[in-house]
Amino acid sequence: MSMQQKAFKYRIYPTKEQQDFLARQFGAVRFIYNRFLANRKDEHLNNKKSLNYYDDAKILTDLKQQDGYAWLYDINSQTLQSSLRNLEVSYQNFFKKRSKFPRFHSKKNKQCIKIPQHFKVENNKLYIPKLKEGIEIVLHQSLSEKQTCCFISKTASDKYYVSFLCEVDIKPLAKSDKTIGVDLGIKSLLVSSDGEVIENPKFYRKSEKELAYKQKQLSKKGKGSKQKDKQRKVVAKLNEYIANCRKDHLHKISRKLIDENQVIIAESLSVKNMMSNRCLAKSIQDVSWGELLRQLEYKSKWYGRTFHQIEKFFPSSKTCNSCQFVVDKLPLSIREWDCPNCKQHNNRDLN
């Protein structure tokens, strides 16, 4: 067995009072993040000074003692500190060129707070600091006892969830003698080396007209009106439905590949660069290659499988699988071709 970190996500149903409490928590975390982001930008522009997490933590302690900020004592201190750590991570990711410069958080997007300690689940209730009564939780699967932290989130469709990060013992699957190669595409989501073809369900494309209509209705509502907020939730629910369908489908595919094969070989894709093609951007985003490869990678580590990605510029489509002859050109529009050397007829994806 190997000790791995795994997240367990559950739906929670807070009461109206508990929703107000969580709203204050979300607002405080957002306030701290935005204030200290602005503070860092000002320090850099005016004093040419770079602040880090420890500088921010010291300023936060002093801020609580100032007039008008006593309400911060009503918020879990570790939750506020986690907001500063998130800001620090955002800066580090930017400097290492893994992401764009940090942006201010908005209450219109998904809200989330981290609770590192002093939480528990008893009798189908979630207990967190600063809240006396437990929040109703639906435990649809058993929860590991080795919980390291928890995250409470509110989606754009006004649903509440709690995620627990746990350390679990995952038993590797029985060894298999099967090796498989997979080719990812748009027309077919996946073509395996044993001839299996998994079609692309195109969840976004199927709901694109409905989504466009609902977004058009949203644009017609008055700014700040109750009708606009109501329509916003309608759009959010449809987007959430599309995302859930896609995620469920990818989990089923990745688990099937992991269960049946000892070695899985896939191609490395520069999804970010490919998204710059405006003709294919929507389709590439809808098929979600990156998420499928991510799932295959971490699940292979969990269950004792080998997952390998070939180099980005390896000419897998242009190389004949029979005689290894490489053709000079193979446009994307050509799906099947005959090898000039051995005369074998090749299907682009299967080859």
Side-chain angles (χ1 to χ4, degrees):
M1 291 187 180
S2 59
M3 189 69 72
Q4 301 285 351
Q5 284 194 332
K6 185 176 181 180
F8 294 82
K9 188 175 182 179
Y10 305 93
R11 182 84 180 269
I12 57 175
Y13 295 88
T15 62
K16 182 63 174 65
E17 292 76 14
Q18 292 170 343
Q19 289 181 20
D20 293 339
F21 171 82
L22 291 176
R24 291 193 295 272
Q25 299 281 319
F26 294 140
V29 167
R30 188 173 60 251
F31 167 78
I32 292 298
Y33 185 94
N34 291 342
R35 181 184 178 89
F36 281 87
L37 173 57
N39 190 35
R40 284 196 181 199
K41 293 173 70 174
D42 291 340
E43 282 292 324
H44 178 72
L45 290 174
N46 300 328
N47 303 323
K48 304 300 179 182
K49 182 180 178 182
S50 297
L51 302 179
N52 56 31
Y53 165 77
Y54 300 101
D55 297 325
D56 290 341
K58 184 177 180 181
I59 297 174
L60 175 60
T61 302
D62 297 335
L63 182 66
K64 289 182 177 180
Q65 300 172 1
Q66 297 179 13
D67 293 338
Y69 295 98
W71 57 272
L72 289 174
Y73 283 105
D74 298 331
I75 311 299
N76 181 22
S77 60
Q78 292 181 328
T79 298
L80 297 179
Q81 291 167 5
S82 69
S83 181
L84 296 181
R85 291 192 182 277
N86 290 339
L87 178 60
E88 179 71 14
V89 171
S90 297
Y91 262 84
Q92 293 300 323
N93 288 337
F94 169 71
F95 289 130
K96 293 179 181 179
K97 299 182 179 180
R98 290 197 293 254
S99 65
K100 296 182 180 180
F101 189 79
R103 295 184 297 178
F104 293 104
H105 287 178
S106 169
K107 65 180 180 179
K108 295 181 181 180
N109 300 327
K110 178 181 177 181
Q111 307 295 309
C112 184
I113 58 172
K114 179 182 179 181
I115 305 175
Q117 298 181 51
H118 310 303
F119 60 89
K120 62 180 180 179
V121 176
E122 286 184 354
N123 301 322
N124 294 323
K125 296 280 187 178
L126 170 66
Y127 295 90
I128 59 176
K130 304 288 186 177
L131 185 63
K132 295 181 179 179
E133 297 182 356
I135 304 174
E136 182 183 351
I137 180 174
V138 178
L139 297 172
H140 62 276
Q141 61 177 330
S142 59
L143 177 63
S144 172
E145 296 181 356
K146 300 178 181 178
Q147 305 158 16
T148 57
C149 64
C150 82
F151 300 83
I152 297 179
S153 60
K154 177 186 177 184
T155 66
S157 59
D158 287 353
K159 294 179 182 177
Y160 292 83
Y161 294 91
V162 59
S163 299
F164 299 93
L165 187 61
C166 306
E167 292 184 350
V168 295
D169 291 325
I170 299 180
K171 184 179 180 180
L173 297 172
K175 288 189 175 294
S176 171
D177 57 357
K178 190 176 179 183
T179 299
I180 194 171
V182 295
D183 180 81
L184 304 178
I186 294 178
K187 183 178 180 181
S188 299
L189 170 60
L190 183 148
V191 178
S192 65
S193 56
D194 57 8
E196 183 182 6
V197 178
I198 299 178
E199 296 299 328
N200 179 12
K202 300 180 181 179
F203 294 111
Y204 173 79
R205 290 294 188 182
K206 290 178 179 177
S207 302
E208 188 174 14
K209 288 185 178 179
E210 182 183 1
L211 182 60
Y213 173 77
K214 292 182 177 180
Q215 288 176 328
K216 187 176 181 180
Q217 295 300 311
L218 174 63
S219 67
K220 294 180 179 180
K221 306 299 181 184
K223 186 176 180 180
S225 66
K226 291 184 178 180
Q227 289 298 319
K228 190 176 186 69
D229 186 59
K230 184 178 179 180
Q231 186 64 24
R232 178 190 60 80
K233 293 177 184 178
V234 172
V235 174
K237 285 182 180 179
L238 182 55
N239 278 314
E240 189 176 297
Y241 170 78
I242 296 170
N244 288 341
C245 288
R246 184 187 297 119
K247 189 180 298 183
D248 178 70
H249 183 64
L250 295 177
H251 272 295
K252 289 175 179 177
I253 294 173
S254 60
R255 187 54 197 262
K256 182 176 183 291
L257 291 171
I258 292 293
D259 287 344
E260 296 177 355
N261 305 280
Q262 182 64 36
V263 179
I264 303 168
I265 302 173
E267 55 189 328
S268 297
L269 298 172
S270 298
V271 179
K272 184 177 180 180
N273 295 337
M274 297 170 72
M275 286 287 290
S276 60
N277 185 335
R278 62 185 182 87
C279 298
L280 298 175
K282 277 188 180 181
S283 298
I284 293 173
Q285 188 175 22
D286 191 18
V287 75
S288 197
W289 293 324
E291 175 63 16
L292 178 59
L293 294 174
R294 186 189 73 87
Q295 291 180 14
L296 288 172
E297 184 176 9
Y298 79 76
K299 289 179 182 179
S300 63
K301 293 179 181 178
W302 281 2
Y303 299 109
R305 301 310 201 200
T306 300
F307 176 65
H308 178 71
Q309 290 181 267
I310 62 175
E311 295 181 1
K312 295 179 182 178
F313 300 105
F314 179 76
S316 57
S317 296
K318 298 192 292 184
T319 304
C320 177
N321 66 81
S322 178
C323 66
Q324 309 305 310
F325 179 82
V326 181
V327 296
D328 294 332
K329 295 182 179 179
L330 191 66
L332 193 60
S333 58
I334 299 178
R335 309 312 301 174
E336 297 182 0
W337 58 281
D338 294 320
C339 177
N341 186 44
C342 68
K343 310 303 179 183
Q344 175 175 279
H345 183 74
N346 294 318
N347 177 282
R348 181 193 185 102
D349 297 328
L350 184 58
N351 176 63

